[in-house]
Amino acid sequence: MTMTAAHPRATEPRPRFSDLVAAEWIKLRSLRSTWLGYGATALAVIGFNVGTAYDTYHYWSEEDAGDRADFVRDGIPLQEAFTGNAATVMVLALGALGAMAVLGEYASGTIRTAFAAVPARRSVMAAKAVVVTAVTAVFGAFVAGVSFAATQAILDRRGLGVSLGDPGALRVVVASALLAPLCALVGLALGTVLRQTAATMIASVVVLLVLPVALTDGRHWSAVASHSTLYQAWNRLVSVAYHPLHYPWTIAGAWTVYAVWAVAAAVIAVAAVHRRDQ
Amino acid sequence: MIEVKQLTKRYGGTTAVKDLTFTVDPGQVTGFLGPNGSGKSTTLRMILGLHEPTSGTVTVEGRPFRSRPRGLRHVGSLLDAQEVHGGRSAVAHLSALARSNRIPRRRVDEVLERVGLAEVAGRRIGGFSLGMKQRLGIAAALLGDAPVLLFDEPLNGLDPEGVKWVRDLFRGLAAEGRTVFVSSHLMSEMEHTADQLIVIGRGELIAAESLEEFSARGTRQSVMVGTPDTEILRDLLAAEGAAVRADGRLLTVTGLSAARVGEIALVHRVPLHHLSTRSGSLEEAFMELTADSVQYLAGEPR
Ligand SMILES: Nc1ncnc2c1ncn2[C@@H]1O[C@H](COP(=O)(O)OP(=O)(O)OP(=O)(O)O)[C@@H](O)[C@H]1O
Ligand SMILES: [Mg+2]
């Protein structure tokens, strides 16, 4: 064996986090399932909201005209801007879509290729979290915005619509829009920790939907636990005419719950890959 | 250069790699040989920092690979060609990898061209044959133009033409002064590929030497005898102390020379249709060595 050349030395440009973000964006957008998933979810969520508003429009008779003021005061137009059903669908779907951003890599084994290419694993996960958050925030804003505009336009035909400037309206739209990135981050964190698709899907349903419903407002500890779930925080934020049952809580408290979940999920997703064998 | 020192990896109760020490030098192709489950993939994963050793160290170009923020310009690797997302196109797969390491986009087209996948670059990987996936994995390993290249069983699924192409590629990469480390569980694959061999069995080092040195171990000769009276001749030879293996009408005899076998047959009037001497192949040397290691360890707790 003759050596025909001195062995090459690696020279490299300074590593940039933005390149990792760009790479994660390429991975996400190059899958057809991404577009199908987000498209189908958008249709379902907007469909639920528009359907409810349409029912109200359809069954509203002229005799009800006197109730118009009550209807608006009770916050029903805003309830229909983003319904509980729509929120349930969004929570489930976004939890799954967020999880798929990492489960796809574990299921196919590309996670090893990714970490061999970028040994700074936490940076990879941080970039993934950034991309998932950005994409789902845009998605949430679009879905909540379209839902608000469409439902209020339909209700307005009966003179029931409200505008974004009305009290509480903007909060309903923002709180509903943020539900998308929040649930996606929770899904991402669960997927990173559990690595297995079935286990992650079950855990995500339990954390995002079962717990908020199972924990009732009856006892103090249970009420506190319930209030610290994402779904109930959303409920609090979108209830314009809020009538507390036993243990009242504030709007600021609900926003805090949002913030804590976002930070905790992102930290878990980033930290979970550091020590474990991949 | 890759330096592995006293590397041990345990998964729960199984010891996948045990006190392994070797170095892989630049400028040549080094074969990493061992039977199924002997710990080759485990070792490669530890070199790449994907799995943490239970004890021992491994460095690439003098540093643990995990201390590099970006890896592709330091080590190009192909661990498992099947580990790709079937829904992505070849070009998307490579573009994401290249971008993560700040490698210009045109390099993606270059490597696709080099491995012969330029025409199918836009097609979904899910529809690729195993051979095409191997080529794609090799393309990914070449992206960073790295001085060290690792390949885990890269010849699986390749047709003879593909095998020849990969061999030439490896030789070319080594001739450029790179460290090329290629695993296989088949000696025959390494015979025409590697200059140097690292042989392991049950996670332990069996041999680390050049291909010539290794093949010198396989010089034990055997005699092939063809006869219609296989059973009679077998018993006669066995009585003379030879080890005999029957294969239809053909006997493989070790421990006696061809001349002696002929004499015995003549004395006992056994007709011979065939008589020849054969040098042991590399494959046999490999099997003998690894079989020994398995036997040696069989009774011991692992
Ligand atoms: N992640 C893991 N968890 C538990 N055991 C493992 C793991 N990876 C490997 N092993 C075990 O370690 C041993 C070595 O496996 P390894 O995959 O390294 O062998 P190999 O030489 O690559 O085999 P092959 O030729 O079949 O690819 C086997 O006994 C295997 O079962
Ligand atoms: Mg293997």
Side-chain angles (χ1 to χ4, degrees):
Chain A
M1 183 80 227
T2 50
M3 293 245 267
T4 53
H7 90 265
R9 287 236 142 256
T11 50
E12 67 179 331
R14 203 174 50 79
R16 292 184 308 201
F17 183 69
S18 60
D19 290 315
L20 298 183
V21 173
E24 290 303 324
W25 169 235
I26 294 173
K27 286 192 210 168
L28 193 66
R29 74 170 155 77
S30 60
L31 289 178
R32 202 190 306 159
S33 56
T34 301
W35 300 99
L36 286 175
Y38 285 104
T41 307
L43 283 179
V45 172
I46 295 171
F48 264 111
N49 293 328
V50 167
T52 308
Y54 181 78
D55 276 352
T56 304
Y57 160 81
H58 191 72
Y59 294 109
W60 189 268
S61 58
E62 276 316 306
E63 296 92 79
D64 297 328
D67 304 334
R68 192 165 285 148
D70 290 346
F71 189 85
V72 174
R73 180 163 30 78
D74 291 344
I76 298 174
L78 282 178
Q79 249 171 43
E80 298 190 354
F82 212 94
T83 63
N85 282 341
T88 304
V89 170
M90 186 141 106
V91 162
L92 281 179
L94 268 292
L97 287 168
M100 281 322 291
V102 66
L103 290 175
E105 299 232 28
Y106 276 106
S108 62
T110 50
I111 195 78
R112 272 183 282 280
T113 317
F115 288 154
V118 183
R121 295 180 196 162
R122 286 178 292 194
S123 305
V124 175
M125 290 311 296
K128 216 181 259 298
V130 165
V131 169
V132 166
T133 306
V135 167
T136 53
V138 169
F139 170 87
F142 170 77
V143 169
V146 168
S147 290
F148 183 85
T151 53
Q152 302 313 308
I154 292 167
L155 293 175
D156 225 23
R157 297 242 189 130
R158 301 286 188 212
L160 299 171
V162 297
S163 77
L164 207 54
D166 287 6
L170 189 60
R171 194 174 73 224
V172 169
V173 175
V174 172
S176 304
L178 286 179
L179 205 49
L182 282 167
C183 294
L185 277 176
V186 170
L188 183 74
L190 290 172
T192 310
V193 170
L194 296 172
R195 298 182 183 184
Q196 251 132 34
T197 307
T200 304
M201 292 307 153
I202 292 168
S204 147
V205 171
V206 169
V207 169
L208 294 173
L209 273 188
V210 176
L211 284 183
V213 177
L215 295 163
T216 57
D217 257 2
R219 288 171 216 281
H220 184 254
W221 69 266
S222 171
V224 169
S226 167
H227 293 173
S228 58
T229 62
L230 273 179
Y231 188 82
Q232 294 302 355
W234 171 80
N235 237 333
R236 178 68 190 88
L237 291 168
V238 300
S239 307
V240 174
Y242 177 63
H243 306 295
L245 277 169
H246 304 286
Y247 302 99
W249 56 316
T250 61
I251 295 284
W255 285 124
T256 310
V257 170
Y258 264 31
V260 169
W261 275 90
V263 172
V267 166
I268 290 172
V270 170
V273 295
H274 186 56
R275 292 213 169 273
R276 287 163 81 187
D277 285 352
Q278 300 294 328
Chain B
M1 178 148 100
I2 304 167
E3 288 174 286
V4 171
K5 286 195 191 123
Q6 286 162 4
L7 204 59
T8 296
K9 179 67 179 178
R10 276 189 288 274
Y11 296 106
T14 9
T15 304
V17 170
K18 196 172 169 188
D19 199 24
L20 203 55
T21 301
F22 62 83
T23 53
V24 186
D25 290 320
Q28 52 195 355
V29 178
T30 304
F32 189 27
L33 208 55
N36 290 130
S38 54
K40 303 181 296 294
S41 301
T42 304
T43 306
L44 293 176
R45 283 197 293 260
M46 287 193 283
I47 294 173
L48 286 169
L50 293 171
H51 284 204
E52 196 63 31
T54 307
S55 63
T57 57
V58 49
T59 57
V60 182
E61 306 289 271
R63 273 173 65 177
F65 182 65
R66 256 199 97 177
S67 70
R68 313 266 184 198
R70 304 290 182 269
L72 289 182
R73 284 191 180 78
H74 300 280
V75 179
S77 62
L78 165 58
L79 288 186
D80 184 341
Q82 302 282 15
E83 290 186 342
V84 280
H85 200 302
R88 234 170 242 136
S89 67
V91 78
H93 174 74
L94 294 178
S95 298
L97 279 174
R99 188 61 198 264
S100 70
N101 275 247
R102 217 174 158 178
I103 292 167
R105 173 63 177 71
R106 78 186 125 73
R107 179 75 186 148
V108 170
D109 299 326
E110 273 171 33
V111 294
L112 279 169
E113 191 72 47
R114 180 145 185 207
V115 302
L117 289 180
E119 249 114 85
V120 295
R123 269 175 41 192
R124 293 176 34 162
I125 305 169
F128 281 17
S129 68
L130 178 54
M132 288 162 86
K133 286 181 184 167
Q134 292 282 24
R135 285 168 185 265
L136 179 63
I138 290 168
L142 297 178
L143 266 181
D145 200 20
V148 176
L149 295 150
L150 305 181
F151 300 95
D152 199 359
E153 316 244 1
L155 300 177
N156 272 357
L158 291 179
D159 54 24
E161 206 179 316
V163 170
K164 182 175 178 329
W165 172 78
V166 170
R167 281 181 176 149
D168 292 345
L169 177 78
F170 289 172
R171 301 210 149 278
L173 291 168
E176 288 164 11
R178 296 175 215 268
T179 304
V180 184
F181 195 38
V182 187
S183 88
S184 172
H185 60 270
L186 293 175
M187 183 67 220
S188 55
E189 285 184 352
M190 288 295 110
E191 205 168 336
H192 305 286
T193 312
D195 311 298
Q196 204 71 26
L197 287 180
I198 309 279
V199 184
I200 62 170
R202 289 243 178 162
E204 287 185 280
L205 190 71
I206 292 176
E209 57 202 18
S210 71
L211 193 75
E212 291 90 74
E213 287 170 301
F214 189 80
S215 54
R217 290 167 181 257
T219 48
R220 221 167 111 196
Q221 293 192 332
S222 57
V223 178
M224 310 286 289
V225 207
T227 173
D229 302 330
T230 41
E231 267 147 55
I232 298 170
L233 186 62
R234 191 184 62 198
D235 295 343
L236 288 170
L237 295 174
E240 291 274 325
V244 187
R245 202 176 67 222
D247 200 4
R249 294 220 160 154
L250 214 55
L251 299 178
T252 308
V253 186
T254 42
L256 288 178
S257 68
R260 185 76 191 113
V261 171
E263 280 168 24
I264 294 168
L266 182 65
V267 169
H268 294 89
R269 308 184 70 81
V270 176
L272 293 188
H273 294 168
H274 176 97
L275 181 64
S276 67
T277 306
R278 216 168 50 102
S279 307
S281 68
L282 278 175
E283 192 72 51
E284 280 167 349
F286 171 56
M287 300 237 293
E288 248 170 59
L289 269 174
T290 51
D292 285 353
S293 95
V294 170
Q295 254 175 5
Y296 168 65
L297 282 166
E300 291 191 355
R302 304 200 58 216

